């Protein structure tokens, strides 16, 4: 594909630089950043990322409906803050093309795409019989320009992936994307087209292994489902889970199947988690994931509904803590795509994604927001870091988090190092490669079933293994993760 192959060397120190040019008033660019090497693994030395930023101003004009919590206008607020902080002088800015119908059909079912293309608010009564089939309703309504909206945000993610593959960017940012609930056959959770899945499929044309990390408060179910049977993609989602909170998936024992067994990592959390608990857990888990899986590229979904005071969220995270996750992943020096996602208190979404744009550029942004035509959204404090924590009681006990961490680290130990995948210069059959891997694993699974039993929840247990389960007599703490 033309991208040079590089060996990533890890070190215990980190420095960064940016393209020459003056930033907005008060913006400073750090020559050094705190290294996570001592406690949370090693980082690349002298890492100078080239950042590509994807924006299309008109995307903020789409409207799901007056009462709908999803407001694309948050993207307009974000872009205005980014530009008025002067961050555009330190990135390559692109107005991406729309994804083609053929590109979207590489993942999505033909019948579903035919429906999305044709239905509009004016003719939706003609398609009413299809609404239940395609999950159309309050969460996923029909709105003006819906197909255009899908093409715009998915086209940006596809272009960002290709930029990383070509080697012309080290970090690619698309706040329009990250709509992680969309499925092959239907929309879900405000998400119509699976831009994240399509971007990962592009990355798999070159990179042997891709890591997907999700810090949205909702489980990244669409992406997990798409790659549940392959070992070339590891999905790692940090989210609220109680069996009822949308989308109702993301239990710790959802680990993948077939070749993908153990390659789905789920970190189910309770209401009210705070900055310290979240960032410590994130760094511990992601250090182990990076060391075990050794991805060639990372896709980081930065849903901002995990912030405190979000309209649909129940966490207590500050913008600084949310951004700390981005900062930590940046330090590994692996090609990375940074995407948006959820976030429904739009003034805080814009603050968060602006702050994280500064992080990928190596910028330290002043707390006082720059003037924009949207100043009134940020009254009365006009600050980048308002107080967001403390509304919800933290139900994540130290015992729970310790047990959760132990379970995840134990899951990673089953992998025994990164899978070996031959590099391919020619693109593989994107539509069929997951199905072929699953078929290839079937005979192995049939043999393995002879040596396993199934517990009452459908989980597989090897007869010769000793670990805590529902059948243990001394598993005093095992129920703590039955969430």
């Amino acid at each position: 594909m033309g991208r040079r192959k590089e060996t990533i060397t890890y070190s215990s120190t980190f420095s960064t630089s940016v393209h020459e040019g003056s930033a907005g008033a008060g913006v400073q660019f750090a020559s050094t950043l705190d290294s996570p090497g001592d406690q949370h693994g090693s980082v690349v030395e002298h890492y100078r990322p080239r950042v590509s930023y994807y924006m299309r101003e008109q995307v903020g004009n789409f409207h799901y409906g007056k009462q709908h919590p999803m407001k694309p206008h948050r993207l307009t607020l974000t872009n205005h803050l980014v530009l008025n902080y002067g961050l555009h002088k330190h990135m390559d800015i692109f107005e991406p093309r729309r994804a083609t119908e053929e590109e979207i059909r590489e993942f999505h079912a033909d019948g579903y795409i035919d429906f999305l293309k044709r239905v509009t608010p004016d003719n939706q009564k003609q398609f009413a019989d299809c609404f239940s089939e395609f999950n159309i309703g309050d969460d996923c309504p029909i709105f003006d320009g819906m197909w255009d909206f899908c093409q715009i945000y998915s086209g940006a993610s596809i272009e960002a992936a290709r930029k990383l593959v070509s080697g012309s960017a080290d970090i690619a940012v698309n706040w329009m994307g990250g709509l992680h609930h969309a499925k092959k056959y239907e929309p879900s959770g405000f998400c119509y087209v699976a831009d994240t899945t399509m971007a990962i499929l592009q990355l798999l044309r070159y990179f042997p292994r891709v890591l997907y990390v999700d810090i949205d408060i909702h489980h990244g179910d669409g992406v997990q489902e798409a790659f549940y049977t392959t070992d070339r993609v590891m999905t790692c989602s940090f989210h609220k889970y109680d069996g009822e909170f949308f989308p109702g998936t993301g239990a710790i024992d959802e680990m993948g199947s077939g070749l993908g067994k153990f390659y789905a990592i789920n970190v189910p959390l309770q209401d009210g988690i705070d900055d310290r608990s979240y960032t410590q857990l994130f760094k511990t888990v992601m250090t182990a994931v990076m060391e075990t899986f050794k991805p060639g590229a990372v896709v980081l979904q930065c849903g901002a509904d995990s912030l405190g005071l979000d309209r649909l969220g129940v966490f207590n995270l500050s913008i600084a803590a949310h951004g700390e996750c981005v900062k930590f992943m940046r330090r590994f020096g692996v090609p990375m795509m940074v995407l948006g996602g959820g976030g429904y208190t739009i003034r805080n979404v814009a603050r968060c994604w602006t702050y994280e744009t500064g992080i990928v550029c190596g910028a330290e942004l002043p707390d006082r927001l720059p003037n924009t035509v949207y100043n009134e959204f940020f009254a009365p404090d006009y600050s980048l870091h308002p107080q967001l924590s403390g509304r919800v009681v933290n139900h994540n006990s130290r015992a729970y988090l310790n047990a959760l961490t132990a379970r995840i680290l134990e899951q990673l130990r089953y992998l025994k190092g990164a899978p070996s995948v031959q590099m391919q210069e020619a693109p593989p059959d994107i539509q069929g490669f997951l199905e072929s891997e699953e078929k290839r694993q079937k005979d192995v699974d049939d043999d393995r079933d002879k040596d396993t039993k199934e517990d009452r929840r459908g989980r597989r247990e090897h007869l010769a293994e000793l670990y805590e389960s529902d059948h243990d007599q001394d598993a005093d703490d095992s129920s703590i993760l039955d969430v």
Side-chain angles (χ1 to χ4, degrees), residues 98-132:
R98 288 173 166 83
T100 66
E101 181 180 333
E102 291 72 23
E103 288 172 328
I104 296 175
R105 288 182 189 271
E106 284 186 345
F107 174 70
H108 286 286
D110 289 338
Y112 174 49
I113 297 307
D114 291 340
F115 170 79
L116 283 184
K117 285 181 55 187
R118 296 171 60 194
V119 68
T120 68
D122 293 332
N123 68 13
Q124 61 180 318
K125 290 183 179 179
Q126 302 174 25
F127 295 89
D129 292 342
C130 301
F131 282 9
S132 60

Short mmCIF file of all heavy atoms in Angstrom, two decimals, residues 98-132:
data_model
loop_
_atom_site.label_atom_id
_atom_site.label_comp_id
_atom_site.label_asym_id
_atom_site.label_seq_id
_atom_site.Cartn_x
_atom_site.Cartn_y
_atom_site.Cartn_z
N ARG A 98 -17.80 12.28 0.78
CA ARG A 98 -18.80 11.33 1.28
C ARG A 98 -18.37 9.90 0.96
O ARG A 98 -17.75 9.65 -0.07
CB ARG A 98 -20.16 11.59 0.62
CG ARG A 98 -20.86 12.85 1.10
CD ARG A 98 -22.10 13.11 0.26
NE ARG A 98 -22.99 14.10 0.86
CZ ARG A 98 -22.83 15.40 0.75
NH1 ARG A 98 -21.82 15.87 0.06
NH2 ARG A 98 -23.69 16.23 1.32
N ALA A 99 -18.70 8.98 1.83
CA ALA A 99 -18.50 7.57 1.52
C ALA A 99 -19.40 7.19 0.35
O ALA A 99 -20.54 7.66 0.24
CB ALA A 99 -18.83 6.70 2.73
N THR A 100 -18.91 6.37 -0.53
CA THR A 100 -19.73 5.91 -1.64
C THR A 100 -20.68 4.82 -1.16
O THR A 100 -20.47 4.17 -0.13
CB THR A 100 -18.87 5.35 -2.77
OG1 THR A 100 -18.20 4.16 -2.32
CG2 THR A 100 -17.82 6.38 -3.22
N GLU A 101 -21.71 4.61 -1.93
CA GLU A 101 -22.65 3.54 -1.61
C GLU A 101 -21.95 2.19 -1.58
O GLU A 101 -22.23 1.34 -0.71
CB GLU A 101 -23.78 3.54 -2.65
CG GLU A 101 -24.84 2.48 -2.41
CD GLU A 101 -25.92 2.53 -3.47
OE1 GLU A 101 -26.16 3.61 -4.05
OE2 GLU A 101 -26.54 1.46 -3.72
N GLU A 102 -21.02 1.98 -2.51
CA GLU A 102 -20.29 0.71 -2.57
C GLU A 102 -19.45 0.50 -1.31
O GLU A 102 -19.35 -0.62 -0.80
CB GLU A 102 -19.40 0.67 -3.81
CG GLU A 102 -20.15 0.59 -5.13
CD GLU A 102 -20.86 1.89 -5.50
OE1 GLU A 102 -20.42 2.97 -5.00
OE2 GLU A 102 -21.85 1.84 -6.25
N GLU A 103 -18.82 1.56 -0.81
CA GLU A 103 -18.02 1.44 0.41
C GLU A 103 -18.88 1.06 1.60
O GLU A 103 -18.49 0.23 2.44
CB GLU A 103 -17.28 2.75 0.68
CG GLU A 103 -16.14 3.02 -0.28
CD GLU A 103 -15.56 4.41 -0.13
OE1 GLU A 103 -16.33 5.34 0.22
OE2 GLU A 103 -14.34 4.59 -0.37
N ILE A 104 -20.06 1.64 1.69
CA ILE A 104 -20.94 1.34 2.82
C ILE A 104 -21.49 -0.08 2.71
O ILE A 104 -21.64 -0.78 3.72
CB ILE A 104 -22.08 2.37 2.89
CG1 ILE A 104 -21.49 3.77 3.18
CG2 ILE A 104 -23.10 2.00 3.96
CD1 ILE A 104 -22.51 4.89 3.17
N ARG A 105 -21.73 -0.53 1.49
CA ARG A 105 -22.22 -1.89 1.29
C ARG A 105 -21.15 -2.95 1.57
O ARG A 105 -21.49 -4.13 1.67
CB ARG A 105 -22.75 -2.06 -0.13
CG ARG A 105 -24.07 -1.34 -0.41
CD ARG A 105 -24.54 -1.60 -1.83
NE ARG A 105 -25.67 -0.76 -2.20
CZ ARG A 105 -26.96 -1.09 -2.01
NH1 ARG A 105 -27.24 -2.26 -1.45
NH2 ARG A 105 -27.92 -0.28 -2.38
N GLU A 106 -19.90 -2.57 1.69
CA GLU A 106 -18.88 -3.56 2.02
C GLU A 106 -19.14 -4.20 3.38
O GLU A 106 -18.72 -5.33 3.63
CB GLU A 106 -17.49 -2.90 2.02
CG GLU A 106 -16.94 -2.65 0.64
CD GLU A 106 -15.51 -2.13 0.68
OE1 GLU A 106 -15.06 -1.71 1.76
OE2 GLU A 106 -14.86 -2.15 -0.37
N PHE A 107 -19.84 -3.47 4.25
CA PHE A 107 -20.20 -4.06 5.54
C PHE A 107 -21.71 -4.26 5.67
O PHE A 107 -22.16 -5.31 6.12
CB PHE A 107 -19.70 -3.20 6.70
CG PHE A 107 -20.18 -3.68 8.04
CD1 PHE A 107 -19.70 -4.87 8.57
CD2 PHE A 107 -21.14 -2.97 8.75
CE1 PHE A 107 -20.16 -5.35 9.80
CE2 PHE A 107 -21.61 -3.43 9.97
CZ PHE A 107 -21.12 -4.62 10.50
N HIS A 108 -22.49 -3.26 5.30
CA HIS A 108 -23.93 -3.30 5.56
C HIS A 108 -24.69 -4.13 4.52
O HIS A 108 -24.28 -4.24 3.37
CB HIS A 108 -24.49 -1.89 5.61
CG HIS A 108 -24.13 -1.16 6.87
ND1 HIS A 108 -24.71 -1.43 8.08
CD2 HIS A 108 -23.23 -0.17 7.10
CE1 HIS A 108 -24.20 -0.64 9.01
NE2 HIS A 108 -23.30 0.14 8.43
N ALA A 109 -25.82 -4.67 4.96
CA ALA A 109 -26.67 -5.49 4.10
C ALA A 109 -27.33 -4.62 3.03
O ALA A 109 -27.72 -3.47 3.28
CB ALA A 109 -27.74 -6.18 4.94
N ASP A 110 -27.49 -5.19 1.85
CA ASP A 110 -28.04 -4.44 0.72
C ASP A 110 -29.45 -3.92 1.01
O ASP A 110 -29.77 -2.77 0.70
CB ASP A 110 -28.07 -5.33 -0.52
CG ASP A 110 -26.68 -5.60 -1.09
OD1 ASP A 110 -25.77 -4.80 -0.80
OD2 ASP A 110 -26.51 -6.59 -1.81
N GLY A 111 -30.29 -4.77 1.60
CA GLY A 111 -31.66 -4.35 1.87
C GLY A 111 -31.74 -3.16 2.80
O GLY A 111 -32.56 -2.25 2.61
N TYR A 112 -30.87 -3.14 3.80
CA TYR A 112 -30.85 -2.03 4.74
C TYR A 112 -30.38 -0.75 4.07
O TYR A 112 -30.97 0.33 4.27
CB TYR A 112 -29.95 -2.39 5.93
CG TYR A 112 -29.73 -1.26 6.90
CD1 TYR A 112 -30.79 -0.52 7.40
CD2 TYR A 112 -28.44 -0.92 7.33
CE1 TYR A 112 -30.60 0.53 8.29
CE2 TYR A 112 -28.23 0.12 8.23
CZ TYR A 112 -29.31 0.84 8.70
OH TYR A 112 -29.10 1.87 9.57
N ILE A 113 -29.35 -0.83 3.24
CA ILE A 113 -28.84 0.37 2.57
C ILE A 113 -29.87 0.89 1.56
O ILE A 113 -30.06 2.10 1.42
CB ILE A 113 -27.49 0.08 1.90
CG1 ILE A 113 -26.45 -0.29 2.95
CG2 ILE A 113 -27.03 1.28 1.08
CD1 ILE A 113 -26.32 0.72 4.07
N ASP A 114 -30.56 -0.01 0.87
CA ASP A 114 -31.61 0.42 -0.04
C ASP A 114 -32.67 1.21 0.71
O ASP A 114 -33.17 2.24 0.23
CB ASP A 114 -32.25 -0.79 -0.71
CG ASP A 114 -31.32 -1.48 -1.70
OD1 ASP A 114 -30.35 -0.83 -2.14
OD2 ASP A 114 -31.57 -2.66 -2.01
N PHE A 115 -33.02 0.76 1.90
CA PHE A 115 -34.00 1.46 2.73
C PHE A 115 -33.49 2.84 3.14
O PHE A 115 -34.21 3.84 3.02
CB PHE A 115 -34.32 0.60 3.96
CG PHE A 115 -35.13 1.30 5.01
CD1 PHE A 115 -36.51 1.43 4.85
CD2 PHE A 115 -34.53 1.83 6.15
CE1 PHE A 115 -37.27 2.08 5.81
CE2 PHE A 115 -35.28 2.47 7.12
CZ PHE A 115 -36.66 2.60 6.95
N LEU A 116 -32.25 2.92 3.64
CA LEU A 116 -31.70 4.21 4.09
C LEU A 116 -31.66 5.22 2.95
O LEU A 116 -31.92 6.42 3.16
CB LEU A 116 -30.28 4.01 4.64
CG LEU A 116 -30.12 3.44 6.03
CD1 LEU A 116 -28.64 3.43 6.41
CD2 LEU A 116 -30.92 4.22 7.07
N LYS A 117 -31.33 4.78 1.77
CA LYS A 117 -31.23 5.69 0.62
C LYS A 117 -32.59 6.26 0.23
O LYS A 117 -32.68 7.42 -0.20
CB LYS A 117 -30.64 4.95 -0.57
CG LYS A 117 -29.16 4.69 -0.52
CD LYS A 117 -28.71 3.97 -1.79
CE LYS A 117 -29.11 4.74 -3.02
NZ LYS A 117 -28.83 3.99 -4.28
N ARG A 118 -33.62 5.47 0.36
CA ARG A 118 -34.91 5.84 -0.21
C ARG A 118 -35.85 6.55 0.77
O ARG A 118 -36.64 7.40 0.37
CB ARG A 118 -35.60 4.59 -0.75
CG ARG A 118 -34.85 3.93 -1.90
CD ARG A 118 -35.49 2.58 -2.24
NE ARG A 118 -36.90 2.73 -2.64
CZ ARG A 118 -37.74 1.71 -2.74
NH1 ARG A 118 -37.34 0.49 -2.44
NH2 ARG A 118 -39.00 1.93 -3.11
N VAL A 119 -35.78 6.21 2.04
CA VAL A 119 -36.76 6.74 2.98
C VAL A 119 -36.45 8.19 3.36
O VAL A 119 -35.29 8.57 3.52
CB VAL A 119 -36.83 5.85 4.25
CG1 VAL A 119 -35.55 5.96 5.07
CG2 VAL A 119 -38.05 6.18 5.10
N THR A 120 -37.48 8.99 3.47
CA THR A 120 -37.37 10.40 3.88
C THR A 120 -38.57 10.73 4.77
O THR A 120 -39.54 9.97 4.82
CB THR A 120 -37.38 11.36 2.67
OG1 THR A 120 -38.69 11.34 2.08
CG2 THR A 120 -36.33 10.97 1.64
N PRO A 121 -38.52 11.85 5.48
CA PRO A 121 -39.71 12.24 6.27
C PRO A 121 -40.97 12.39 5.41
O PRO A 121 -42.09 12.15 5.89
CB PRO A 121 -39.30 13.57 6.89
CG PRO A 121 -37.81 13.49 6.98
CD PRO A 121 -37.39 12.75 5.76
N ASP A 122 -40.80 12.78 4.14
CA ASP A 122 -41.96 12.99 3.28
C ASP A 122 -42.61 11.69 2.82
O ASP A 122 -43.83 11.65 2.60
CB ASP A 122 -41.56 13.82 2.05
CG ASP A 122 -41.17 15.24 2.43
OD1 ASP A 122 -41.68 15.74 3.46
OD2 ASP A 122 -40.36 15.84 1.71
N ASN A 123 -41.80 10.64 2.63
CA ASN A 123 -42.36 9.39 2.10
C ASN A 123 -42.37 8.25 3.12
O ASN A 123 -42.61 7.10 2.76
CB ASN A 123 -41.62 8.95 0.84
CG ASN A 123 -40.18 8.52 1.11
OD1 ASN A 123 -39.78 8.31 2.25
ND2 ASN A 123 -39.40 8.38 0.04
N GLN A 124 -42.07 8.55 4.39
CA GLN A 124 -41.88 7.48 5.36
C GLN A 124 -43.12 6.62 5.58
O GLN A 124 -43.00 5.44 5.94
CB GLN A 124 -41.40 8.04 6.69
CG GLN A 124 -42.33 9.02 7.37
CD GLN A 124 -41.75 9.52 8.70
OE1 GLN A 124 -41.20 8.76 9.48
NE2 GLN A 124 -41.87 10.82 8.94
N LYS A 125 -44.32 7.15 5.31
CA LYS A 125 -45.51 6.33 5.47
C LYS A 125 -45.51 5.15 4.49
O LYS A 125 -46.08 4.09 4.80
CB LYS A 125 -46.75 7.19 5.26
CG LYS A 125 -47.01 8.19 6.38
CD LYS A 125 -48.30 8.96 6.15
CE LYS A 125 -48.57 9.94 7.29
NZ LYS A 125 -49.83 10.71 7.06
N GLN A 126 -44.87 5.33 3.35
CA GLN A 126 -44.79 4.25 2.38
C GLN A 126 -43.90 3.10 2.88
O GLN A 126 -44.02 1.98 2.39
CB GLN A 126 -44.23 4.76 1.05
CG GLN A 126 -45.02 5.89 0.43
CD GLN A 126 -44.33 6.46 -0.80
OE1 GLN A 126 -43.54 5.77 -1.47
NE2 GLN A 126 -44.61 7.72 -1.10
N PHE A 127 -43.03 3.41 3.83
CA PHE A 127 -42.08 2.41 4.33
C PHE A 127 -42.41 1.96 5.75
O PHE A 127 -41.61 1.29 6.38
CB PHE A 127 -40.66 2.99 4.31
CG PHE A 127 -40.14 3.29 2.94
CD1 PHE A 127 -40.36 4.53 2.35
CD2 PHE A 127 -39.43 2.33 2.22
CE1 PHE A 127 -39.88 4.82 1.10
CE2 PHE A 127 -38.93 2.61 0.96
CZ PHE A 127 -39.16 3.85 0.39
N ALA A 128 -43.59 2.33 6.24
CA ALA A 128 -43.92 2.05 7.63
C ALA A 128 -43.85 0.57 7.96
O ALA A 128 -43.50 0.18 9.09
CB ALA A 128 -45.32 2.59 7.95
N ASP A 129 -44.16 -0.29 6.99
CA ASP A 129 -44.11 -1.73 7.23
C ASP A 129 -42.69 -2.23 7.47
O ASP A 129 -42.50 -3.32 8.01
CB ASP A 129 -44.72 -2.48 6.04
CG ASP A 129 -46.22 -2.25 5.90
OD1 ASP A 129 -46.83 -1.81 6.90
OD2 ASP A 129 -46.77 -2.49 4.81
N CYS A 130 -41.70 -1.42 7.08
CA CYS A 130 -40.29 -1.82 7.24
C CYS A 130 -39.69 -1.32 8.55
O CYS A 130 -38.56 -1.69 8.89
CB CYS A 130 -39.45 -1.29 6.08
SG CYS A 130 -39.96 -1.85 4.45
N PHE A 131 -40.41 -0.48 9.28
CA PHE A 131 -39.81 0.17 10.44
C PHE A 131 -39.39 -0.83 11.51
O PHE A 131 -38.31 -0.70 12.11
CB PHE A 131 -40.78 1.20 11.04
CG PHE A 131 -40.84 2.49 10.27
CD1 PHE A 131 -40.21 2.62 9.04
CD2 PHE A 131 -41.54 3.58 10.78
CE1 PHE A 131 -40.27 3.81 8.34
CE2 PHE A 131 -41.59 4.78 10.09
CZ PHE A 131 -40.96 4.89 8.85
N SER A 132 -40.20 -1.81 11.78
CA SER A 132 -39.82 -2.78 12.80
C SER A 132 -38.65 -3.63 12.34
O SER A 132 -37.76 -3.97 13.14
CB SER A 132 -41.01 -3.68 13.15
OG SER A 132 -41.47 -4.38 12.00
#
